[in-house]
Amino acid sequence: MSTLTLNIPDTEPHFRTEHDSMGQVQVPAEKYWGAQTERSRNNFKIGPNASMPAEIIEAFAYLKKAAAYANADLDVLPAEKRDLISMVCDEILAGKLADEFPLVIWQTGSGTQSNMNLNEVIANRAHVMHGGSLGDSETIIHPNDDVNKSQSSNDTFPTAMHIAAYKMLIYVTIPGIERLRDTLKAKSVAFKDVVKIGRTHLMDATPLTLGQEISGYVSQLDHGLRALGNTLDHLSELALGGSAVGTGMNTPEGYDVKVADYIAQFTNLPFRTADNKFEALSAHDAIVESHGALKQIAVSLMMIANNIRMLASGPRCSIGELHLPENEPGSSIMPGKINPTQNEAVTMVASQVMGNDVAITIAGSNGQFQLNVFKPVMAANFLQSARLIGEACASFNEHCAAGIEPNYDGIKKHLEESLMLVTALNPHVGYENSAKIAQKAMRENLSLRESAIGLKLLTSEQFDQWVNPVNMVGTL
C-alpha cells in the first residue's frame, strides 16, 4: 500500500528577537525595522490604508542623509558611518525599501515612531550592507546614537513635513494649476468677441462676452497661485537643529545651518534653518498658512467647475451655452447621456480640501507649550490636498477645459430673449419706463422691441440704436 506525501509549503511566519529600552520584541525575520517600529505596528491598528505618506518617508531619507554629512563634517560621526547611512538613504529615495515603513498616521503626535522606523531600517540595512546579519547582538550602526545623532523626533518630523510639503507644491500642485490657468487664459482670448447674457442671483442680467466671463476664472487662479507662492518662504524654514524643545541640546555648534544647507543641496530646493526653532516645533503656522492658500484655490475651483457645468447643462432643456468634451457614457440606464464628470471630480476634490483645512486648522491651533502633537495628521492632510488639487487641475485641463467650445445657437437664443437688455434704455427713457417695458414684455410674452414700441416710449430705429448687446459689454 503506497503512502501519499503532500508537499505543503511552510507558511509559518519567522521572527527574530529585537530589543529596546522596554525589553524584547519579536520582529518579522526578514524585515529591517526593529523593536520600536514593531511596538507601534501592534499598538496602533487604526484605519485601513492610513500609512504614513511616502513623501514623508522620502523627506526623512533626505534629512537623515543630510544629518549624517553634517555630523561627519563637525567631527561627531565617523566618515564610514556617514557613508553607510547615506547609501541606505539613497536606497530609500530610489524606492528600494518601500515595504519597510508599515506605520500609520494615527500614532504618537510627534511622529516619534516613524522617526524611529527610519532610524531602525537605516541602521539594520547599513549593518547588513557592511557584512552583518539581521539579529546580530552588536551592529556597526546604532539607530539612536548614529542615525538619530544630533536629532529629536520633535525637530525631524516637522522638517520632513516642510520638505514633503514644499516638494509637493513645487512639482505637483503649482504646475497643475498653472496648466489649467494657461488653458483658460487662451480660451478667454479666443472667445473675447462671443457676446452672451450675464446672470446674477441666478437670474438674467446684462450682457458680457464669454471671454470676459472666463477671464474671471483666470484671475481667480492667478490670485491663488500668488497666495500659494507667498507661503513658500515660510515653508522653506526647517526645524532641524532645534532638538527636543528648540534649544538645540546635544547638537554641535553650527549643525542647524549646515544640515539645512545639505538638505538644500540634496533636494535642489532653497531650504534653510528656521529663524526660531521654538516656533518650528511648537507651532506649524507655515503648514496652516500654506494650506489656507490651498483652500482658497479649492474655493475658486468649486466655483469655476460649477459655473462651467451649469453653462453646459442640457443639452436641450437647460442653459446649454457651452459644449464640453464627451469622455464617457454618463448613465447605466439612460442611453446617450453624457455628464460633466471632470467638473464633478474637481468639486469633490474641492470639498475634500476644505474638509482637510478644518482638520489642519484644529491641529495647528493645538500646539501645547514646546511641542505640537498633531504632526502626522497635519502632514497627511496637507499632502493629500496638495496632490489632489494639482492632479485634479491637470485632469480637468486635459479632459475638459482644453475642449470647451461655445454653443453659439444657445448663446444667441438666450441673448435675444433676455429682458435685461432693457437696461440699455435707462439713460434714454429712465428707470421707471424701462421697467414698464420689461414688465409688459414679460406679462404679454412680447419681445422688448414690441413692448417698447407698444408703449410708445421710443421708435423702432431708436431701439435698434440703443439696444445693441455688443455696445453693452465694455472692454477687458
Side-chain angles (χ1 to χ4, degrees), residues 81-98:
K81 291 187 176 184
R82 175 202 64 193
D83 294 342
L84 284 169
I85 291 171
S86 176
M87 285 189 288
V88 180
C89 290
D90 288 341
E91 286 191 339
I92 295 171
L93 292 171
K96 295 180 179 179
L97 300 173

Side-chain angles (χ1 to χ4, degrees), residues 118-138:
L118 268 292
N119 291 336
E120 290 174 343
V121 169
I122 292 170
N124 282 329
R125 176 59 181 156
H127 180 66
V128 171
M129 293 174 73
H130 191 256
S133 299
L134 288 174
D136 288 348
S137 57
E138 297 291 336

Side-chain angles (χ1 to χ4, degrees), residues 179-254:
R179 284 198 291 273
L180 178 58
R181 187 271 316 273
D182 292 346
T183 294
L184 291 175
K185 187 174 183 179
K187 294 290 181 182
S188 73
V189 173
F191 305 147
K192 65 184 176 63
D193 297 324
V194 181
V195 181
K196 66 184 291 292
I197 200 63
R199 295 175 178 87
T200 60
H201 302 269
L202 296 180
M203 308 297 283
D204 300 348
T206 56
L208 77 168
T209 72
L210 182 56
Q212 289 172 327
E213 189 168 34
I214 294 175
S215 77
Y217 309 154
V218 176
S219 183
Q220 283 183 280
L221 295 179
D222 269 335
H223 284 298
L225 283 165
R226 281 197 292 274
L228 195 57
N230 288 338
T231 71
L232 290 176
D233 183 65
H234 196 182
L235 206 58
S236 70
E237 294 188 4
L238 303 182
L240 206 56
S243 189
V245 298
T247 61
M249 181 179 179
N250 291 347
T251 64
E253 185 178 353

Side-chain angles (χ1 to χ4, degrees), residues 422 425 433-441 448 451-452 455 457-458:
V422 76
L425 295 177
N433 283 331
S434 297
K436 290 178 183 178
I437 294 171
Q439 291 163 357
K440 178 180 175 66
L448 285 176
S451 178
L455 289 170
L457 292 171
L458 67 165

Side-chain angles (χ1 to χ4, degrees), residues 18-333:
E18 289 277 341
H19 68 276
D20 59 13
S21 61
M22 295 184 68
Q24 294 183 343
V25 179
Q26 295 298 301
V27 176
E30 75 285 358
K31 294 298 183 181
Y32 287 112
W33 69 69
Q36 292 197 45
T37 302
E38 189 65 16
R39 290 188 194 282
S40 180
R41 198 165 75 100
N42 292 327
N43 291 341
F44 296 97
K45 296 180 179 179
I46 305 173
N49 304 316
S51 297
M52 188 63 65
E55 294 83 8
I56 293 293
I57 304 303
E58 178 187 83
F60 261 108
Y62 280 120
L63 75 87
K64 294 294 179 183
K65 179 177 179 178
Y69 269 81
N71 283 323
D73 287 355
L74 296 168
D75 297 322
V76 294
L77 185 75
E80 181 186 24
K81 291 187 176 184
R82 175 202 64 193
D83 294 342
L84 284 169
I85 291 171
S86 176
M87 285 189 288
V88 180
C89 290
D90 288 341
E91 286 191 339
I92 295 171
L93 292 171
K96 295 180 179 179
L97 300 173
D99 293 337
E100 297 293 332
F101 307 101
L103 303 189
V104 295
I105 299 160
W106 318 111
Q107 54 168 278
T108 175
S110 63
T112 297
Q113 288 138 12
S114 281
N115 181 41
M116 284 307 305
N117 185 190
L118 268 292
N119 291 336
E120 290 174 343
V121 169
I122 292 170
N124 282 329
R125 176 59 181 156
H127 180 66
V128 171
M129 293 174 73
H130 191 256
S133 299
L134 288 174
D136 288 348
S137 57
E138 297 291 336
T139 59
I140 187 173
I141 301 286
H142 192 279
N144 297 83
D145 297 337
D146 296 319
V147 185
N148 200 59
K149 181 176 285 294
S150 306
Q151 302 155 61
S152 163
S153 300
N154 298 349
D155 67 352
T156 59
F157 203 95
T159 296
M161 289 167 65
H162 280 215
I163 294 171
Y166 197 106
K167 289 180 85 268
M168 183 68 77
L169 292 179
I170 290 295
Y171 295 123
V172 177
T173 314
I174 291 174
I177 300 168
E178 287 177 336
R179 284 198 291 273
L180 178 58
R181 187 271 316 273
D182 292 346
T183 294
L184 291 175
K185 187 174 183 179
K187 294 290 181 182
S188 73
V189 173
F191 305 147
K192 65 184 176 63
D193 297 324
V194 181
V195 181
K196 66 184 291 292
I197 200 63
R199 295 175 178 87
T200 60
H201 302 269
L202 296 180
M203 308 297 283
D204 300 348
T206 56
L208 77 168
T209 72
L210 182 56
Q212 289 172 327
E213 189 168 34
I214 294 175
S215 77
Y217 309 154
V218 176
S219 183
Q220 283 183 280
L221 295 179
D222 269 335
H223 284 298
L225 283 165
R226 281 197 292 274
L228 195 57
N230 288 338
T231 71
L232 290 176
D233 183 65
H234 196 182
L235 206 58
S236 70
E237 294 188 4
L238 303 182
L240 206 56
S243 189
V245 298
T247 61
M249 181 179 179
N250 291 347
T251 64
E253 185 178 353
Y255 167 80
D256 58 344
V257 173
K258 184 174 286 290
V259 74
D261 287 344
Y262 271 118
I263 292 172
Q265 176 185 328
F266 296 152
T267 61
N268 198 30
L269 292 170
F271 292 114
R272 68 184 192 282
T273 192
D275 295 332
N276 189 298
K277 306 298 192 303
F278 304 103
E279 181 222 9
L281 271 63
S282 64
H284 295 309
D285 292 349
I287 293 290
V288 175
E289 175 189 14
S290 191
H291 197 275
L294 292 177
K295 183 190 71 171
Q296 175 186 336
I297 293 164
V299 169
S300 297
L301 290 173
M302 179 72 84
M303 175 191 157
I304 292 166
N306 274 334
N307 278 354
I308 289 173
R309 70 169 163 180
M310 285 191 284
L311 288 172
S313 60
R316 294 189 175 181
C317 301
S318 192
I319 296 177
E321 291 184 351
L322 293 180
H323 289 304
L324 303 185
E326 299 180 351
N327 295 320
E328 61 271 320
S331 173
S332 60
I333 190 174

